[in-house]
Amino acid sequence: MKRLFILTISAMFALSFLHAQTTHFLSDNHVMQRVSTTSKYLLLPIEESRENDHVRILQNQKVVKEFNCKLAMNKIDYFVPLHLDEFAGKEILLDITISRGNANEQARHTATKEFICWKAMKYADTFDMQNREKFRPVYHHTPLYGWMNDPNGMFYKDGVWHLYFQHNPYGSQWENMTWGHSTSRDLMNWTFENDAVMPDALGTVFSGSAVVDKNNTAGFGSGAVVVMYTSAGQSQTQSLAYSTDNGQTFRKYTGNPVIVSNTPDFRDPKIFWNEEIGKWNMILAEGQHMKIYSSLNLKDWTHESDFGEGYGNHNGVWECPDLLRIGNRWLLICNINPGGPFGGSATQYFVGTFDGRKFMCEDAPEVTKWMDWGKDHYATVTFSNAPDERHVAIPWMSNWQYANDVPTKQYRSANGLPRDLGLFSYQGKTYCSVKPSPEVMNAFASKPVKRLSDACRVDVRLRANTVITLSNGQGETVTMTYNAKNETFEMDRTKSGDTSFSSNFATVTKAPTYGKINTLQIFIDKSSIEVFDADGKMAMSNIVFPSSPYTQLTVKGGKARIYKLK
């Protein structure tokens, strides 16, 4: 198995510190700092317990970039790189507004000029992106550095899977939403390609989607990759960008925004070509319902209908929708926060029909169906243009209840494993099936091994009642229980390791199995456990933070086989 990322940047060296005379303290909350751009990076020291400072970058008396970050006052948690090569070798001026709101007692009595960041800030030609965090997964996608949440704009083209994601390049907590970009040929080994869609005067770049415009309907060129995303400024509006180099770089459409609304929560457009009507469709989240649009050219959109009033769970804001045809049915994916079955964020879905204008749910309004029964499965959407008419989905593997606080620093959050979606029937009802994608299964050896590792797959043949326990030498455990009579599966992570960072973390999650299940596929990867019924009737994704890897596997009422990565 290859490393998760192809690292093109090695350990830090050739560092030089900024000279003191380049920093000007104009007041206790205003600093200016002149910066040369002859080096590749300026490394900014970050202290996560602080409030965000605001950094404007000026060049020739014009603001060319701005972002928020938590410049270190007393201690340095990590560094983040400011890319200097984007400023074309011309000197820049950092115009920094220091935050004093919500400051603690120590911060109120620490003069700005005494902050440790001014002495620690340094030039460098390289930035260390080595995998140093003990909890960083081996075979799941993670950002090389910084914060990540929703997967965005995913598409497949010319043998390459493109995954964009909500990225904060200037810290490992939510802020400065930008589209990071990673690519893969096998859905398991990912290469970070850099940040692809940047904030502009309309706002930061929230979630959205991408399509391959094979017939040049938008006029950007045949085969152009067109993305629609939410510009999150004073209001949330929808914008377009396009790429003619297979998604590596994007140009913003000059007519942005293309859709506006006076609703505060108006975001996350998912666009797709509907062959039945010969038009593009789009589904968009607005408050606690979905809006459906149609278009001939991806620029001019007609509102067709709304869906959601009275249907499903309404205990939070509806977000990150998807709408896809599977056989003769349509699946509408609706991510919601809060309102999940065990608190916080989760993914619900609806099954029904769609005629290009209106979605009709086949279930009673009060029915709620969950795609995954763990605590850590959110913002789930599918790849556009996937081969063989597959519906390949990827979730964000965290929960808004504690995502900013999990015990990692160099990065935060991973994506769940790629999974193929389908449909199955049980007692006259239709449900979404969820199976690990074939590429995931192909990443593991065909012959079992005897020892458990921190990155492996465990298949368990079940009997009527089965109890599976993972444990380590510190007495930390994860217990999974299948009850055939009650048709349930549950996972107890209350003693899984570090749970101190949030009172919402130590949880028992429980799922219906919709009948008997025979084989569980358990994917363990340092800080996550994802469990699938081999037939696709149940999925459960939970993250964990054990002090040391689980080395012991105990199975009562079943038989387990362990498979290592190839």
Side-chain angles (χ1 to χ4, degrees):
M1 185 74 176
K2 296 182 294 183
R3 290 181 60 86
L4 179 60
F5 290 99
I6 299 173
L7 300 180
T8 57
I9 304 174
S10 59
M12 286 185 285
F13 61 87
L15 302 176
S16 60
F17 293 86
L18 273 67
H19 296 296
Q21 60 264 31
T22 65
T23 306
H24 305 285
F25 301 97
L26 307 180
S27 73
D28 213 31
N29 65 354
H30 190 199
V31 178
M32 284 186 175
Q33 184 155 323
R34 217 162 276 285
V35 172
S36 166
T37 58
T38 55
S39 298
K40 189 169 184 179
Y41 304 107
L42 176 65
L43 302 184
L44 305 175
I46 303 299
E47 182 178 348
E48 284 197 345
S49 62
R50 289 202 62 241
E51 295 294 308
N52 275 306
D53 305 311
H54 186 66
V55 180
R56 297 195 311 158
I57 299 179
L58 281 61
Q59 192 173 57
N60 298 327
Q61 290 75 56
K62 294 181 180 180
V63 178
V64 294
K65 192 182 188 75
E66 55 186 317
F67 58 89
N68 297 322
C69 68
K70 300 180 176 186
L71 293 171
M73 179 181 68
N74 293 309
K75 68 184 182 97
I76 300 171
D77 290 322
Y78 50 82
F79 288 87
V80 295
L82 173 62
H83 291 249
L84 299 176
D85 47 7
E86 66 182 86
F87 303 111
K90 297 180 181 178
E91 185 181 73
I92 58 175
L93 179 68
L94 305 187
D95 185 16
I96 305 170
T97 301
I98 300 296
S99 174
R100 292 286 180 175
N102 300 328
N104 59 32
E105 190 67 25
Q106 183 180 13
R108 283 195 292 270
H109 291 87
T110 301
T112 298
K113 65 181 179 180
E114 296 175 4
F115 281 19
I116 194 175
C117 61
W118 313 120
K119 293 182 179 180
M121 206 175 288
K122 50 198 172 186
Y123 295 113
D125 287 324
T126 55
F127 177 64
D128 184 1
M129 297 188 197
Q130 296 290 332
N131 184 352
R132 300 191 185 283
E133 297 262 0
K134 75 173 185 176
F135 292 127
R136 189 191 284 273
V138 174
Y139 59 88
H140 287 71
H141 174 262
T142 57
L144 282 181
Y145 66 96
W147 161 275
M148 179 184 75
N149 57 291
D150 305 358
N152 297 151
M154 305 187 302
F155 72 93
Y156 176 87
K157 189 173 188 286
D158 300 330
V160 178
W161 301 87
H162 293 259
L163 168 62
Y164 301 86
F165 53 91
Q166 294 281 278
H167 188 216
N168 178 11
Y170 303 110
S172 296
Q173 293 175 317
W174 186 93
E175 192 61 53
N176 306 306
M177 287 297 94
T178 299
W179 276 24
H181 181 204
S182 297
T183 59
S184 176
R185 289 189 173 273
D186 62 4
L187 287 172
M188 291 293 280
N189 295 279
W190 295 92
T191 302
F192 179 57
E193 302 286 356
N194 218 330
D195 291 310
V197 186
M198 313 291 187
D200 57 28
L202 290 174
T204 54
V205 185
F206 275 17
S207 295
S209 56
V211 294
V212 179
D213 189 9
K214 300 174 183 178
N215 297 320
N216 193 25
T217 63
F220 300 136
S222 179
V225 177
V226 182
V227 303
M228 180 177 278
Y229 59 90
T230 298
S231 293
Q234 185 172 350
S235 298
Q236 294 184 356
T237 60
Q238 314 312 314
S239 296
L240 288 178
Y242 64 95
S243 171
T244 56
D245 59 2
N246 287 334
Q248 294 299 318
T249 59
F250 286 89
R251 295 180 182 178
K252 304 285 181 66
Y253 174 50
T254 56
N256 287 338
V258 295
I259 303 177
V260 299
S261 171
N262 59 6
T263 303
D265 296 311
F266 181 71
R267 55 180 175 262
D268 311 337
K270 178 62 188 282
I271 48 180
F272 60 95
W273 177 256
N274 190 335
E275 191 66 44
E276 293 181 359
I277 63 171
K279 293 182 181 180
W280 297 99
N281 276 131
M282 175 178 63
I283 183 168
L284 177 76
E286 183 183 61
Q288 290 195 341
H289 66 274
M290 301 300 183
K291 302 187 79 68
I292 294 173
Y293 296 80
S294 66
S295 174
L296 290 171
N297 60 9
L298 292 170
K299 301 172 183 176
D300 304 300
W301 292 91
T302 300
H303 175 230
E304 298 287 1
S305 64
D306 293 350
F307 169 77
E309 184 175 354
Y311 279 84
N313 187 298
H314 285 268
N315 292 329
V317 175
W318 286 21
E319 297 184 308
C320 302
D322 203 344
L323 184 58
L324 49 143
R325 181 174 180 171
I326 304 178
N328 63 355
R329 300 289 216 317
W330 286 77
L331 180 70
L332 192 159
I333 298 173
C334 170
N335 293 276
I336 182 171
N337 177 56
F342 306 102
S345 38
T347 305
Q348 65 177 327
Y349 67 88
F350 305 90
V351 179
T353 59
F354 178 60
D355 63 2
R357 296 186 65 252
K358 189 174 184 179
F359 176 82
M360 299 291 292
C361 183
E362 66 182 34
D363 293 303
E366 64 272 15
V367 173
T368 299
K369 296 177 176 178
W370 299 108
M371 184 173 289
D372 187 291
W373 292 85
K375 282 276 285 191
D376 301 301
H377 179 282
Y378 193 60
T380 307
V381 288
T382 60
F383 283 88
S384 296
N385 200 46
D388 304 320
E389 299 184 351
R390 291 169 59 192
H391 302 291
V392 183
I394 285 185
W396 174 48
M397 195 163 53
S398 195
N399 191 304
W400 279 116
Q401 288 184 329
Y402 42 73
N404 277 291
D405 304 313
V406 297
T408 64
K409 287 292 176 74
Q410 183 190 37
Y411 80 101
R412 273 195 178 88
S413 299
N415 287 114
L417 287 172
R419 50 202 72 194
D420 279 33
L421 305 182
L423 297 174
F424 71 94
S425 297
Y426 178 69
Q427 294 185 349
K429 301 289 185 181
T430 302
Y431 297 92
C432 178
S433 67
V434 182
K435 294 182 179 181
S437 295
E439 292 87 346
V440 174
M441 301 303 291
N442 290 339
F444 292 87
S446 57
K447 292 184 179 181
V449 295
K450 294 182 179 180
R451 295 179 179 274
L452 196 68
S453 69
D454 60 1
C456 65
R457 185 185 99 228
V458 180
D459 290 358
V460 181
R461 291 284 295 176
L462 303 172
R463 296 176 189 165
N465 294 293
T466 305
V467 179
I468 306 158
T469 304
L470 304 173
S471 60
N472 61 18
Q474 286 68 44
E476 297 164 347
T477 61
V478 175
T479 303
M480 293 166 271
T481 305
Y482 169 61
N483 188 308
K485 180 179 179 181
N486 295 336
E487 297 184 358
T488 60
F489 173 82
E490 65 180 43
M491 186 189 305
D492 183 346
R493 70 172 183 192
T494 57
K495 299 178 182 179
S496 58
D498 186 1
T499 65
S500 63
F501 53 87
S502 171
S503 60
N504 294 306
F505 189 80
T507 316
V508 178
T509 55
K510 189 173 184 178
T513 60
Y514 303 113
K516 182 181 179 181
I517 57 177
N518 297 309
T519 302
L520 290 178
Q521 297 164 332
I522 304 172
F523 294 86
I524 303 167
D525 193 0
K526 287 200 171 181
S527 56
S528 65
I529 300 173
E530 292 164 280
V531 184
F532 299 86
D533 162 40
D535 293 325
K537 294 187 295 182
M538 186 277 300
M540 183 178 288
S541 303
N542 285 317
I543 56 177
V544 290
F545 299 98
S547 301
S548 62
Y550 305 120
T551 55
Q552 291 292 118
L553 170 66
T554 303
V555 179
K556 296 180 180 180
K559 185 176 182 180
R561 289 187 175 183
I562 302 168
Y563 299 90
K564 66 178 183 179
L565 289 167
K566 289 181 179 177

